[in-house]
Amino acid sequence: MSKPRALGAEFAGFAAVGVFAFAADLGTFLYLRGPAAMEPMFAKALSFLAGVAVAYTGNALGPYRLRARRVATGWRRFGVFALVNAAGGAVQLGCLGVSRHLLGLTSTLADVVSGAGIGLVLGTAVRFWGTRTLVFAHETAPAPAGRGQPQPQPHPQPQADGEVT
């Protein structure tokens, strides 16, 4: 598969997982705000974590299942993934802030275009880059041993009588 095609397939898997993560975030938020009657900021923090957990699980089992893990332990890797997602969210909020406070665009349409349009595209780009480079490293094939390169030597194996061969 060509590199652009492979990148496209990787992004398609990442985006599909993102749809489920968005649904988990939104569904959790609506439940916590509605039937659970939770305060909005706390409900959003919990729904964000639910969305991140779905996104992490989906990416680890889906498009990045065969990749090496750049961060060694599971909880630490999840933490880095959560930080990458928080950075993407900060980009979305930043786009909304620039639109409202620097450009003076305060209509609902302007908020949707800046936060859910431009912000979503840029935030997704940050999440995609961070997920593929900081959380799930791209495996590189080992260089083939050729002329002029030392050949790997087998490790000595101990014999039953204690001799090393």
Side-chain angles (χ1 to χ4, degrees), residues 5-53:
R5 191 172 175 142
L7 185 63
E10 178 183 341
F11 184 76
F14 178 84
V17 168
V19 168
F20 287 105
F22 174 76
D25 185 338
L26 180 61
T28 302
F29 181 73
L30 292 174
Y31 173 76
L32 293 175
R33 285 294 297 135
M38 192 176 283
E39 188 271 327
M41 295 300 282
F42 191 62
K44 185 59 193 165
L46 291 177
S47 73
F48 171 78
L49 288 176
V52 168

